[in-house]
mmCIF file of all heavy atoms in Angstrom:
data_model
loop_
_atom_site.group_PDB
_atom_site.id
_atom_site.type_symbol
_atom_site.label_atom_id
_atom_site.label_comp_id
_atom_site.label_asym_id
_atom_site.label_seq_id
_atom_site.Cartn_x
_atom_site.Cartn_y
_atom_site.Cartn_z
ATOM 1 N N ASN A 34 -17.154 8.590 81.897
ATOM 2 C CA ASN A 34 -15.718 8.442 82.005
ATOM 3 C C ASN A 34 -14.966 9.369 81.031
ATOM 4 O O ASN A 34 -14.095 8.959 80.313
ATOM 5 C CB ASN A 34 -15.305 6.985 81.802
ATOM 6 C CG ASN A 34 -13.867 6.726 82.310
ATOM 7 O OD1 ASN A 34 -13.425 7.371 83.249
ATOM 8 N ND2 ASN A 34 -13.175 5.862 81.648
ATOM 9 N N ILE A 35 -15.366 10.689 81.064
ATOM 10 C CA ILE A 35 -14.669 11.645 80.238
ATOM 11 C C ILE A 35 -14.315 12.858 81.080
ATOM 12 O O ILE A 35 -14.943 13.190 82.102
ATOM 13 C CB ILE A 35 -15.539 12.138 79.037
ATOM 14 C CG1 ILE A 35 -16.833 12.761 79.506
ATOM 15 C CG2 ILE A 35 -15.801 10.983 78.041
ATOM 16 C CD1 ILE A 35 -17.635 13.438 78.428
ATOM 17 N N SER A 36 -13.209 13.499 80.735
ATOM 18 C CA SER A 36 -12.745 14.645 81.452
ATOM 19 C C SER A 36 -13.416 15.934 80.916
ATOM 20 O O SER A 36 -14.102 15.939 79.937
ATOM 21 C CB SER A 36 -11.211 14.775 81.228
ATOM 22 O OG SER A 36 -10.941 15.135 79.903
ATOM 23 N N GLN A 37 -13.191 16.995 81.686
ATOM 24 C CA GLN A 37 -13.695 18.327 81.218
ATOM 25 C C GLN A 37 -13.078 18.641 79.892
ATOM 26 O O GLN A 37 -13.748 19.177 79.019
ATOM 27 C CB GLN A 37 -13.324 19.419 82.280
ATOM 28 C CG GLN A 37 -14.080 19.257 83.542
ATOM 29 C CD GLN A 37 -13.650 20.241 84.577
ATOM 30 O OE1 GLN A 37 -12.486 20.766 84.566
ATOM 31 N NE2 GLN A 37 -14.514 20.529 85.561
ATOM 32 N N THR A 38 -11.794 18.323 79.724
ATOM 33 C CA THR A 38 -11.123 18.657 78.438
ATOM 34 C C THR A 38 -11.778 17.911 77.285
ATOM 35 O O THR A 38 -12.087 18.443 76.276
ATOM 36 C CB THR A 38 -9.661 18.299 78.526
ATOM 37 O OG1 THR A 38 -9.038 19.051 79.588
ATOM 38 C CG2 THR A 38 -8.921 18.576 77.207
ATOM 39 N N GLU A 39 -12.004 16.606 77.514
ATOM 40 C CA GLU A 39 -12.626 15.809 76.478
ATOM 41 C C GLU A 39 -14.020 16.274 76.087
ATOM 42 O O GLU A 39 -14.348 16.380 74.899
ATOM 43 C CB GLU A 39 -12.686 14.329 76.866
ATOM 44 C CG GLU A 39 -11.338 13.649 76.962
ATOM 45 C CD GLU A 39 -11.394 12.302 77.640
ATOM 46 O OE1 GLU A 39 -11.984 12.193 78.762
ATOM 47 O OE2 GLU A 39 -10.834 11.374 77.072
ATOM 48 N N LEU A 40 -14.831 16.605 77.139
ATOM 49 C CA LEU A 40 -16.157 17.098 76.873
ATOM 50 C C LEU A 40 -16.068 18.430 76.096
ATOM 51 O O LEU A 40 -16.801 18.598 75.102
ATOM 52 C CB LEU A 40 -16.945 17.321 78.135
ATOM 53 C CG LEU A 40 -18.355 17.961 78.001
ATOM 54 C CD1 LEU A 40 -19.232 17.120 77.120
ATOM 55 C CD2 LEU A 40 -18.959 18.168 79.343
ATOM 56 N N GLY A 41 -15.219 19.313 76.543
ATOM 57 C CA GLY A 41 -15.039 20.602 75.892
ATOM 58 C C GLY A 41 -14.679 20.457 74.432
ATOM 59 O O GLY A 41 -15.187 21.126 73.519
ATOM 60 N N GLU A 42 -13.738 19.562 74.130
ATOM 61 C CA GLU A 42 -13.367 19.295 72.726
ATOM 62 C C GLU A 42 -14.452 18.825 71.885
ATOM 63 O O GLU A 42 -14.631 19.224 70.736
ATOM 64 C CB GLU A 42 -12.198 18.290 72.703
ATOM 65 C CG GLU A 42 -10.861 18.823 73.200
ATOM 66 C CD GLU A 42 -9.808 17.771 73.311
ATOM 67 O OE1 GLU A 42 -10.079 16.545 73.134
ATOM 68 O OE2 GLU A 42 -8.631 18.151 73.680
ATOM 69 N N LYS A 43 -15.362 18.008 72.466
ATOM 70 C CA LYS A 43 -16.491 17.437 71.701
ATOM 71 C C LYS A 43 -17.539 18.476 71.406
ATOM 72 O O LYS A 43 -18.265 18.354 70.403
ATOM 73 C CB LYS A 43 -17.106 16.237 72.436
ATOM 74 C CG LYS A 43 -16.142 15.078 72.608
ATOM 75 C CD LYS A 43 -15.809 14.433 71.292
ATOM 76 C CE LYS A 43 -14.941 13.271 71.477
ATOM 77 N NZ LYS A 43 -14.503 12.628 70.254
ATOM 78 N N VAL A 44 -17.731 19.481 72.315
ATOM 79 C CA VAL A 44 -18.793 20.459 72.136
ATOM 80 C C VAL A 44 -18.318 21.823 71.806
ATOM 81 O O VAL A 44 -19.077 22.778 71.749
ATOM 82 C CB VAL A 44 -19.733 20.478 73.423
ATOM 83 C CG1 VAL A 44 -20.377 19.120 73.606
ATOM 84 C CG2 VAL A 44 -18.985 20.938 74.661
ATOM 85 N N GLY A 45 -16.991 21.979 71.583
ATOM 86 C CA GLY A 45 -16.435 23.311 71.174
ATOM 87 C C GLY A 45 -16.238 24.291 72.302
ATOM 88 O O GLY A 45 -16.314 25.503 72.063
ATOM 89 N N LEU A 46 -15.981 23.794 73.521
ATOM 90 C CA LEU A 46 -15.681 24.695 74.605
ATOM 91 C C LEU A 46 -14.383 24.319 75.243
ATOM 92 O O LEU A 46 -13.952 23.198 75.120
ATOM 93 C CB LEU A 46 -16.821 24.548 75.701
ATOM 94 C CG LEU A 46 -18.227 24.878 75.267
ATOM 95 C CD1 LEU A 46 -19.229 24.508 76.352
ATOM 96 C CD2 LEU A 46 -18.331 26.370 74.943
ATOM 97 N N SER A 47 -13.810 25.248 75.993
ATOM 98 C CA SER A 47 -12.550 24.973 76.621
ATOM 99 C C SER A 47 -12.804 24.248 77.955
ATOM 100 O O SER A 47 -13.884 24.257 78.438
ATOM 101 C CB SER A 47 -11.792 26.322 76.975
ATOM 102 O OG SER A 47 -12.514 27.024 77.968
ATOM 103 N N ARG A 48 -11.740 23.640 78.438
ATOM 104 C CA ARG A 48 -11.816 22.964 79.739
ATOM 105 C C ARG A 48 -12.203 23.941 80.813
ATOM 106 O O ARG A 48 -13.003 23.662 81.703
ATOM 107 C CB ARG A 48 -10.476 22.297 80.097
ATOM 108 C CG ARG A 48 -10.581 21.507 81.410
ATOM 109 C CD ARG A 48 -9.232 21.417 82.169
ATOM 110 N NE ARG A 48 -8.636 22.654 82.444
ATOM 111 C CZ ARG A 48 -8.956 23.468 83.424
ATOM 112 N NH1 ARG A 48 -9.933 23.219 84.270
ATOM 113 N NH2 ARG A 48 -8.281 24.594 83.634
ATOM 114 N N GLN A 49 -11.649 25.180 80.692
ATOM 115 C CA GLN A 49 -11.960 26.217 81.730
ATOM 116 C C GLN A 49 -13.422 26.568 81.692
ATOM 117 O O GLN A 49 -14.020 26.774 82.755
ATOM 118 C CB GLN A 49 -11.088 27.449 81.466
ATOM 119 C CG GLN A 49 -9.612 27.253 81.693
ATOM 120 C CD GLN A 49 -8.874 26.689 80.466
ATOM 121 O OE1 GLN A 49 -9.468 26.226 79.481
ATOM 122 N NE2 GLN A 49 -7.554 26.701 80.500
ATOM 123 N N THR A 50 -14.001 26.635 80.520
ATOM 124 C CA THR A 50 -15.453 26.981 80.451
ATOM 125 C C THR A 50 -16.273 25.877 81.012
ATOM 126 O O THR A 50 -17.223 26.129 81.760
ATOM 127 C CB THR A 50 -15.828 27.226 78.975
ATOM 128 O OG1 THR A 50 -15.078 28.325 78.497
ATOM 129 C CG2 THR A 50 -17.349 27.569 78.866
ATOM 130 N N ILE A 51 -15.960 24.596 80.704
ATOM 131 C CA ILE A 51 -16.673 23.499 81.317
ATOM 132 C C ILE A 51 -16.583 23.527 82.820
ATOM 133 O O ILE A 51 -17.607 23.383 83.565
ATOM 134 C CB ILE A 51 -16.167 22.116 80.775
ATOM 135 C CG1 ILE A 51 -16.384 21.978 79.257
ATOM 136 C CG2 ILE A 51 -16.789 20.946 81.531
ATOM 137 C CD1 ILE A 51 -17.832 21.932 78.843
ATOM 138 N N SER A 52 -15.381 23.800 83.331
ATOM 139 C CA SER A 52 -15.173 23.901 84.760
ATOM 140 C C SER A 52 -16.015 24.980 85.358
ATOM 141 O O SER A 52 -16.647 24.834 86.398
ATOM 142 C CB SER A 52 -13.695 24.148 85.059
ATOM 143 O OG SER A 52 -13.487 24.312 86.431
ATOM 144 N N SER A 53 -16.043 26.158 84.729
ATOM 145 C CA SER A 53 -16.809 27.318 85.230
ATOM 146 C C SER A 53 -18.299 26.984 85.210
ATOM 147 O O SER A 53 -19.048 27.376 86.144
ATOM 148 C CB SER A 53 -16.524 28.554 84.394
ATOM 149 O OG SER A 53 -15.210 28.939 84.526
ATOM 150 N N ILE A 54 -18.792 26.309 84.172
ATOM 151 C CA ILE A 54 -20.229 25.939 84.115
ATOM 152 C C ILE A 54 -20.530 25.003 85.272
ATOM 153 O O ILE A 54 -21.511 25.168 85.936
ATOM 154 C CB ILE A 54 -20.520 25.280 82.755
ATOM 155 C CG1 ILE A 54 -20.497 26.346 81.637
ATOM 156 C CG2 ILE A 54 -21.888 24.567 82.801
ATOM 157 C CD1 ILE A 54 -20.490 25.768 80.222
ATOM 158 N N GLU A 55 -19.666 24.017 85.486
ATOM 159 C CA GLU A 55 -19.896 23.033 86.582
ATOM 160 C C GLU A 55 -19.841 23.682 87.941
ATOM 161 O O GLU A 55 -20.604 23.303 88.836
ATOM 162 C CB GLU A 55 -18.877 21.928 86.522
ATOM 163 C CG GLU A 55 -19.079 21.034 85.344
ATOM 164 C CD GLU A 55 -18.076 19.890 85.302
ATOM 165 O OE1 GLU A 55 -17.115 19.840 86.120
ATOM 166 O OE2 GLU A 55 -18.245 19.022 84.385
ATOM 167 N N ARG A 56 -19.031 24.720 88.126
ATOM 168 C CA ARG A 56 -18.922 25.410 89.420
ATOM 169 C C ARG A 56 -19.999 26.462 89.579
ATOM 170 O O ARG A 56 -20.203 27.005 90.643
ATOM 171 C CB ARG A 56 -17.566 26.076 89.574
ATOM 172 C CG ARG A 56 -16.413 25.149 89.785
ATOM 173 C CD ARG A 56 -15.173 25.855 90.201
ATOM 174 N NE ARG A 56 -14.952 27.167 89.604
ATOM 175 C CZ ARG A 56 -14.292 27.408 88.446
ATOM 176 N NH1 ARG A 56 -13.817 26.408 87.743
ATOM 177 N NH2 ARG A 56 -14.203 28.668 87.993
ATOM 178 N N GLY A 57 -20.720 26.755 88.533
ATOM 179 C CA GLY A 57 -21.779 27.790 88.523
ATOM 180 C C GLY A 57 -21.267 29.207 88.434
ATOM 181 O O GLY A 57 -21.969 30.126 88.710
ATOM 182 N N THR A 58 -20.035 29.352 87.990
ATOM 183 C CA THR A 58 -19.477 30.705 87.835
ATOM 184 C C THR A 58 -19.625 31.204 86.376
ATOM 185 O O THR A 58 -19.290 32.381 86.114
ATOM 186 C CB THR A 58 -18.017 30.773 88.224
ATOM 187 O OG1 THR A 58 -17.238 29.830 87.492
ATOM 188 C CG2 THR A 58 -17.870 30.456 89.729
ATOM 189 N N ALA A 59 -20.097 30.358 85.495
ATOM 190 C CA ALA A 59 -20.390 30.749 84.122
ATOM 191 C C ALA A 59 -21.705 30.143 83.740
ATOM 192 O O ALA A 59 -22.049 29.022 84.100
ATOM 193 C CB ALA A 59 -19.279 30.281 83.150
ATOM 194 N N ALA A 60 -22.479 30.932 83.040
ATOM 195 C CA ALA A 60 -23.811 30.451 82.562
ATOM 196 C C ALA A 60 -23.653 29.546 81.347
ATOM 197 O O ALA A 60 -22.771 29.729 80.525
ATOM 198 C CB ALA A 60 -24.697 31.621 82.218
ATOM 199 N N LEU A 61 -24.498 28.582 81.277
ATOM 200 C CA LEU A 61 -24.578 27.666 80.129
ATOM 201 C C LEU A 61 -25.544 28.278 79.125
ATOM 202 O O LEU A 61 -26.661 28.595 79.467
ATOM 203 C CB LEU A 61 -25.108 26.326 80.587
ATOM 204 C CG LEU A 61 -25.185 25.202 79.563
ATOM 205 C CD1 LEU A 61 -23.822 24.863 78.991
ATOM 206 C CD2 LEU A 61 -25.746 23.970 80.252
#
Side-chain angles (χ1 to χ4, degrees):
N34 197 31
I35 60 171
S36 68
Q37 291 175 337
T38 300
E39 291 169 311
L40 176 59
E42 288 172 355
K43 297 295 184 184
V44 299
L46 299 171
S47 69
R48 183 208 55 81
Q49 293 86 347
T50 300
I51 298 293
S52 176
S53 295
I54 290 168
E55 291 181 354
R56 289 191 326 268
T58 58
L61 182 61

